[in-house]
Amino acid sequence: MERLAGEPGRTMSARPVAERIVAELALRGERVALAESLTGGLLASSLIDVAGASAVVTGGVVAYATATKASLLDVDPELLAERGAVDADVALQMARGARARLALDGRDADHALATTGVAGPEPQDGHPAGTVWIALSSIAGDEVRSLLVVGDRAAIREATVDSALELLAEALGVGLRE
């Protein structure tokens, strides 16, 4: 087994809002599930980078292929065929699917975030790069937001993660800035 040395005192989380989300969820005894397409696991990683995340993150599904959204997250295949994956209703169904599919002990996740959109550089289904939908499904209700992000693939994906975290933080009443 190869041994590697990490940097002492280095924290992985570059997002203080993720730390506040994890702390608030732990305080409430609530859990979050994640369904990601264009962010490809970055959203889950941003929360899992925080110590204590295992108590509040049930898991995540990276449903990058359109068909996977239907098979793993119960997104309506007819909706996907009609509108494609870059759609508000698709994002919401992804979030609802994650809440149910990532249930623990017979209890749906209290909150679920979903991301879908076009990271680029080419358009998809008639949508330009930077077109993004994020959704939150929670015990308090559902919310969907649209974004139009300017930048390269990395910038679009990072901005999507930040916006998704902000959406959950607002729903939890957690301040975004100290």
Side-chain angles (χ1 to χ4, degrees):
M1 179 182 295
E2 184 179 0
R3 292 181 62 134
L4 301 174
E7 295 177 41
R10 180 173 178 260
T11 178
M12 292 179 68
S13 179
R15 293 179 169 94
V17 68
E19 294 173 349
R20 289 192 284 282
I21 288 169
V22 168
E24 182 66 20
L25 288 171
L27 184 67
R28 294 177 179 209
E30 295 176 356
R31 294 181 166 269
V32 63
L34 308 156
E36 302 183 63
S37 185
L38 85 151
T39 50
L42 289 175
L43 181 56
S45 180
S46 70
L47 290 168
I48 293 168
D49 283 346
V50 178
S54 62
V56 301
V57 178
T58 62
V61 173
V62 176
Y64 201 66
T66 299
T68 307
K69 292 168 181 62
S71 64
L72 292 182
L73 296 169
D74 300 321
V75 175
D76 181 0
E78 290 181 19
L79 173 65
L80 291 166
E82 285 176 23
R83 300 189 204 164
V86 184
D87 181 80
D89 291 331
V90 170
L92 183 55
Q93 287 187 18
M94 288 173 64
R96 288 175 176 165
R99 277 189 73 205
R101 289 291 190 137
L102 296 168
L104 291 179
D105 300 323
R107 187 180 122 214
D108 286 358
D110 302 289
H111 312 273
L113 287 169
T115 64
T116 189
V118 185
E122 299 301 320
Q124 178 185 336
D125 297 330
H127 301 284
T131 303
V132 174
W133 291 96
I134 56 174
L136 170 67
S137 179
S138 75
I139 52 179
D142 300 329
E143 185 172 348
V144 180
R145 291 188 183 168
S146 65
L147 308 171
L148 186 55
V149 183
V150 178
D152 62 11
R153 283 181 67 81
I156 291 166
R157 294 172 73 222
E158 288 291 335
T160 300
V161 169
D162 289 339
S163 294
L165 291 173
E166 289 170 11
L167 177 58
L168 180 55
E170 289 170 15
L172 294 172
V174 175
L176 300 178
R177 314 243 190 290
E178 287 194 26

